[in-house]
Amino acid sequence: MSENRTQPTETSVASYLAQVAPPRRREDAQVLEALFREVTGWNPVMWGPSIVGYGRYHYRYESGREGDFLATGFAPRKANMVVYIMPGYTDFGHILKDLGPHRIGKSCLYLTALSKVDLGALKRLIRAGLDDLATRWPVQPS
């Protein structure tokens, strides 16, 4: 079986964040970096060229596919800030209702402007995602 394309790298998170454009997205990314560090207690690691990840877990599906992936993190994309909550958002509606404007995918939360988001709700969401993930697979610090 093939490996995940997204793997941890040696790239400096600080260097990556310093290059994020536009400036508003860079500022939001720096706020998220501090917020994730506070919630997780872990140092960030770059996963691939653009995901700032915290922690990791090893998964093994019934199909036999297995691998390692970040436990939580974010990516400052041009159109949206993307927050990764593994394994998804199925049971977090009670937190999402307090978050502010957002869209969700399976494990992706899309935020257009951090200034419109309730950061307390985002902290609760990150913690809930990590706690939920830990019931499925062991989570390790980064």
Side-chain angles (χ1 to χ4, degrees), residues 31-103:
V31 168
L32 282 183
E33 196 286 318
L35 186 140
F36 272 86
R37 192 184 294 254
E38 176 187 338
V39 171
T40 66
W42 301 328
N43 293 320
V45 172
M46 290 300 301
W47 284 74
S50 62
I51 299 175
V52 180
Y54 298 80
R56 67 186 309 148
Y57 68 100
H58 183 81
Y59 61 86
R60 181 176 293 125
Y61 297 132
E62 289 181 18
S63 66
R65 179 173 167 79
E66 66 179 294
D68 295 297
F69 204 61
L70 61 114
T72 191
F74 68 94
R77 307 280 189 222
K78 190 172 187 175
N80 296 286
M81 186 67 72
V82 182
V83 174
Y84 298 95
I85 302 293
M86 306 304 173
Y89 293 94
T90 54
D91 297 327
F92 302 134
H94 64 288
I95 300 172
L96 291 169
K97 71 177 179 57
D98 296 332
L99 186 63
H102 67 277
R103 289 182 301 111

Side-chain angles (χ1 to χ4, degrees), residues 104-124:
I104 58 172
K106 184 175 180 196
S107 295
C108 299
L109 172 72
Y110 301 96
L111 306 171
T112 55
L114 211 52
S115 62
K116 297 178 182 179
V117 171
D118 180 323
L119 295 182
L122 184 55
K123 288 179 185 180
R124 292 193 313 273

